[in-house]
């Protein structure tokens, strides 16, 4: 049975790279009828940010990635929060000493700091000099009885570590390049390496699918497995997510744009973000691009994940988002847009249940839900000040514009069934050589109805406003033109 896990550290929001890792783990589990587990790796107490777990989980839920075991729902190997599993790590660290794959290190922080400086000055690699590796049992007993604080370090054996990464192929590391890493700190907390290996073993994880930044840790992990005599899981290291400058997407450089939460706030749909994330490092056999989660669950193959970094291209995300907005049932989109409409209406009237036509009109024009804010103002607020110079098209005149508006008003008043085809067909009768060009008629109408130079289709705007409101706005514009002296 395939068992994979997403093991975030609680350092804040769900990162896009993290969400991509979670998604690939999820897809791999579902594709193989396996299980997807969430585990919180919170042993680095200095980097801990309060409330992270809730935010991470809510980000995953928003994306629709459900898990089978985790900190909130428990499971057969609970707890799924590392700080609640300290006794396991302490027990296993002692066990590793018995297996002679680890040893106690009594070096003080001060000694380690001096060592580091000396090595730096001598341009040597900075690495623990194994001063405590060969302490006698007597030395050790004395230090323990004296209460000298100690850490437990991995004893890196000579030789090479060779393993097969499912994405990168065979990887070979000279053990000499590795340090006797600390596994258990003097305060009894494990480091990432120990806790990660113990939990993956105890939780029966079969495949470790994680970001490329953890690749250098894998040989150490394999040596820990070997020290215990445990069968290691398989490993797959996913390519980095890069920004358009090809640097790793990072909070420091790219600000809040690295968080899933930011995209939610900016009006991206989870289906769009998921589809986009799936393509950050993977692509299917053919060139289809639109995949919902269920389709991804069937199509996803770890073998098709690329080695090279994947570039985060916001234009592509916008393209996916516009696509998914267009594809939503209009009623559903209308519901999603209600908070935005309320914000635009801003305390002025909000015609409850009356926005569906507006939503339908705008649906194809939205890139994000938020983009409705700059496109729907005219629906809620009649143009405040109408500038006659804006109403009159260049190359037309005040007289002609006044006539165009007058005739439009006349025609629109006589429509009995206020439907877009009727509005369009009747108005188009006015557009004839020798009378009005499209621009002569539609430009002033657009400005009169919306106050803007750009808007959705004028006939649609007229229809959405309703006959009464439409006529009122046109009449107001006509009056303004008639009052100008530029005739
Ligand atoms: N806690 C690590 C992280 O924050 C997990 C790395 C792993 O999956 O082994 O990404």
């Amino acid at each position: 049975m395939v068992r994979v896990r997403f093991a975030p550290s609680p350092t804040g929001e769900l990162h896009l790279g993290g969400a991509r890792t979670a998604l690939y783990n999820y897809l791999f589990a579902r594709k193989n009828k396996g299980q997807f587990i969430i585990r919180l790796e919170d042993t680095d107490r200095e980097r801990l940010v309060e409330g992270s777990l809730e935010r991470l989980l809510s980000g995953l839920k928003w994306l629709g990635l459900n898990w089978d075991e985790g900190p909130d729902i428990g499971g057969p190997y609970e707890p799924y929060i590392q700080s609640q599993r300290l006794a396991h790590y302490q027990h296993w660290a002692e066990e590793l000493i018995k297996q002679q794959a680890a040893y106690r290190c009594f070096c003080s922080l001060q000694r380690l700091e001096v060592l580091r400086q000396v090595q730096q000055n001598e341009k040597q690699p900075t690495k623990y000099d194994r001063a405590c590796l060969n302490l006698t049992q007597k030395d050790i007993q004395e230090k323990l009885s004296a209460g000298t604080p100690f850490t437990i370090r991995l004893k890196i054996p000579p030789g090479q570590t060779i393993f097969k990464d499912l994405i990168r192929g065979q990887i070979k590391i000279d053990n000499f390049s590795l340090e006797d890493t600390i596994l258990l700190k003097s305060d009894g907390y494990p480091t990432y390496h120990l806790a990660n290996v113990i939990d993956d073993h105890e939780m029966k994880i079969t495949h470790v699918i994680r970001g490329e930044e953890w690749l250098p840790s894998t040989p150490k992990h394999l040596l820990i497995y070997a020290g215990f005599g445990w069968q290691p899981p398989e490993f797959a290291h996913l390519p980095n997510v890069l920004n358009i400058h090809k640097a790793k997407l990072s909070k420091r450089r790219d600000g809040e744009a690295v968080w899933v939460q930011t995209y939610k706030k900016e009006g991206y749909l989870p289906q769009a973000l998921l589809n986009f994330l799936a393509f950050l490092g993977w692509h299917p056999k053919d060139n289809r691009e639109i995949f919902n989660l269920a389709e991804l669950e069937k199509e996803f193959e770890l073998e098709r994940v690329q080695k090279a970094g994947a570039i985060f291209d916001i234009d592509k995300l916008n393209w996916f988002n516009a696509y998914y907005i267009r594809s939503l049932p209009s009623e559903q989109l209308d519901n999603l847009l209600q908070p935005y409409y309320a914000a635009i209406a801003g305390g002025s009237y909000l015609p409850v249940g009356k926005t569906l036509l507006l939503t339908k009109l705008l649906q194809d024009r939205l890139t994000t839900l938020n983009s409705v804010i700059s496109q729907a103002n005219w629906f809620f607020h009649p143009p405040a000040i109408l500038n006659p110079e804006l109403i009159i098209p260049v190359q037309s005149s005040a007289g002609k514009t006044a006539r165009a508006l007058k005739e439009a008003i006349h025609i629109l008043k006589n429509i009995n069934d206020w439907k877009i085809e009727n509005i369009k067909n009747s108005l188009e009768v006015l557009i004839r050589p020798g009378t009005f060009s499209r621009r002569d008629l539609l430009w002033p109408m657009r400005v009169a109805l919306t106050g803007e130079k750009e808007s959705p289709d004028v006939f649609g705007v007229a229809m959405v406003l309703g006959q009464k409101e439409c006529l009122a706005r046109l009449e107001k514009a006509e009056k303004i033109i008639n009052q100008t002296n530029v005739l």
Side-chain angles (χ1 to χ4, degrees):
M1 154 83 82
V2 161
R3 286 176 56 84
V4 292
R5 80 312 190 265
F6 174 53
S9 295
T11 53
E13 298 291 341
L14 180 58
H15 188 282
L16 281 177
R20 198 272 316 260
T21 300
L23 173 62
Y24 285 16
N25 272 284
Y26 169 93
L27 294 175
F28 185 73
R30 295 293 171 256
K31 166 99 189 200
N32 293 290
K33 311 250 170 304
Q35 282 157 344
F36 173 52
I37 292 131
I38 308 279
R39 180 174 76 220
L40 190 71
E41 301 208 324
D42 62 342
T43 56
D44 186 348
R45 307 307 281 176
E46 277 161 29
R47 293 180 60 219
L48 194 132
V49 175
E50 245 2 274
S52 298
L53 176 61
E54 291 68 25
R55 282 187 273 164
L56 289 164
L57 296 185
S58 84
L60 294 171
K61 270 194 199 137
W62 180 70
L63 287 171
L65 304 178
N66 300 321
W67 46 99
D68 303 297
E69 297 163 30
D72 54 337
I73 52 173
Y77 304 102
E78 62 192 19
Y80 293 86
I81 297 184
Q82 288 189 328
S83 59
Q84 297 171 11
R85 302 172 61 81
L86 298 182
H88 294 242
Y89 312 127
Q90 287 154 2
H91 161 80
W92 286 116
E94 292 293 334
E95 191 59 32
L96 211 53
I97 294 179
K98 282 190 206 136
Q99 301 297 328
Q100 301 189 347
Y103 59 94
R104 283 178 228 280
C105 169
F106 295 93
C107 291
S108 65
L109 281 178
Q110 195 198 1
R111 173 175 189 278
L112 295 175
E113 180 52 29
V114 172
L115 175 66
R116 201 176 61 83
Q117 279 172 12
V118 170
Q119 287 172 333
Q120 262 173 357
N121 290 345
E122 291 174 0
K123 307 238 179 312
Q124 303 277 344
T126 51
K127 127 178 183 184
Y128 181 56
D129 63 355
R130 310 189 115 180
C132 292
L133 178 60
N134 297 315
L135 294 179
T136 62
Q137 271 314 313
K138 190 163 155 278
D139 290 336
I140 294 173
Q141 278 319 321
E142 271 173 20
K143 289 187 194 289
L144 287 178
S145 324
T148 316
F150 65 90
T151 60
I152 296 183
R153 285 184 186 268
L154 178 63
K155 179 172 154 193
I156 302 278
Q160 283 185 328
T161 300
I162 303 175
F163 66 100
K164 188 176 140 250
D165 182 276
L166 294 173
I167 296 168
R168 280 144 218 280
Q170 197 187 66
I171 294 182
K172 213 190 276 184
I173 296 283
D174 214 327
N175 291 357
F176 181 73
S177 68
L178 304 174
E179 184 181 30
D180 285 359
T181 312
I182 296 180
L183 300 177
L184 197 74
K185 294 184 272 186
S186 55
D187 60 3
Y189 267 81
T191 57
Y192 156 69
H193 304 291
L194 181 69
N196 190 269
V197 167
I198 303 289
D199 286 349
D200 283 346
H201 174 74
E202 290 193 334
M203 296 178 180
K204 302 206 167 22
I205 298 302
T206 56
H207 296 75
V208 168
I209 304 171
R210 61 183 169 199
E212 182 180 338
E213 68 270 33
W214 303 103
L215 191 57
S217 300
T218 307
K220 294 179 197 168
H221 296 183
L222 286 163
L223 291 171
I224 302 175
Y225 283 102
F228 284 119
W230 293 341
Q231 168 78 26
E234 303 235 41
F235 289 92
H237 290 89
L238 306 176
N240 279 330
V241 178
L242 309 176
N243 63 21
I244 43 163
H245 309 294
K246 304 216 166 131
K248 197 173 166 222
L249 202 64
S250 81
K251 186 177 140 194
R252 193 169 43 79
R253 215 171 309 111
D254 304 293
E256 294 189 3
V258 303
W259 293 330
V260 166
Q261 179 65 19
T262 305
Y263 293 89
K264 182 180 172 196
K265 263 201 281 190
E266 289 182 0
Y268 287 86
L269 299 180
Q271 343 27 334
L273 193 57
L274 264 184
N275 199 155
F276 172 76
L277 287 173
F279 276 79
L280 274 183
W282 171 85
H283 53 91
K285 286 190 213 79
D286 51 24
N287 24 3
R288 266 172 68 205
E289 295 196 278
I290 300 296
F291 286 88
N292 64 27
L293 192 55
E295 290 164 335
L296 286 170
E297 288 174 23
K298 285 205 207 90
E299 284 294 313
F300 183 78
E301 279 170 301
L302 210 45
E303 296 74 32
R304 300 192 64 81
V305 174
Q306 70 198 41
K307 280 186 239 168
I311 295 183
F312 179 91
D313 175 3
I314 189 79
D315 292 338
K316 191 74 198 179
L317 174 58
N318 287 338
W319 179 84
F320 275 118
N321 207 50
Y323 170 84
Y324 280 97
I325 289 180
R326 278 201 304 281
S327 320
L328 279 181
S330 300
E331 290 71 17
Q332 205 176 321
L333 178 60
D334 192 47
N335 272 337
L336 292 175
L337 290 176
Q338 287 311 312
Y340 299 90
Y341 288 152
I344 306 171
S348 90
Y349 85 114
L350 179 61
V352 180
K354 296 267 173 60
T355 51
L356 185 58
L357 289 178
L358 172 67
T359 298
K360 285 186 173 162
L361 183 69
L362 297 178
Q363 187 153 12
D364 286 358
R365 300 172 58 98
L366 300 179
T367 309
T368 59
L369 299 179
N370 291 22
S371 65
V372 81
I373 291 175
S374 60
Q375 297 193 49
N377 197 52
W378 53 269
F379 181 75
F380 301 95
H381 309 284
I385 315 162
L386 274 181
N387 177 353
E389 278 162 35
L390 187 62
I391 306 177
I392 303 166
V394 194
Q395 280 164 11
S396 185
S397 66
K400 199 171 197 184
T401 302
R403 280 201 308 281
L405 287 170
K406 187 163 176 245
E407 299 221 21
I409 292 166
H410 178 69
I411 281 196
L412 294 175
K413 257 191 193 146
N414 288 318
I415 294 182
N416 293 328
D417 189 4
W418 194 250
K419 280 206 307 233
I420 191 153
E421 305 86 66
N422 296 348
I423 299 171
K424 186 164 188 276
N425 294 340
S426 337
L427 285 172
E428 276 182 347
V429 173
L430 294 176
I431 303 171
R432 281 192 316 262
T435 50
F436 301 113
S437 69
R438 283 193 92 74
R439 195 174 161 83
D440 289 340
L441 179 71
L442 300 182
W443 175 280
M445 282 190 67
R446 163 168 293 139
V447 176
L449 297 180
T450 67
E452 313 269 346
K453 286 191 259 181
E454 275 172 40
S455 76
D457 170 66
V458 177
F459 308 118
V461 168
M463 186 269 297
V464 166
L465 283 173
Q467 195 164 15
K468 200 167 144 231
E469 180 66 18
C470 173
L471 287 168
R473 292 188 188 188
L474 292 176
E475 277 160 5
K476 190 170 164 202
E478 189 201 8
K479 210 156 130 204
I480 290 173
I481 296 289
N482 285 332
Q483 281 165 359
T484 52
N485 307 322
V486 272
L487 283 170

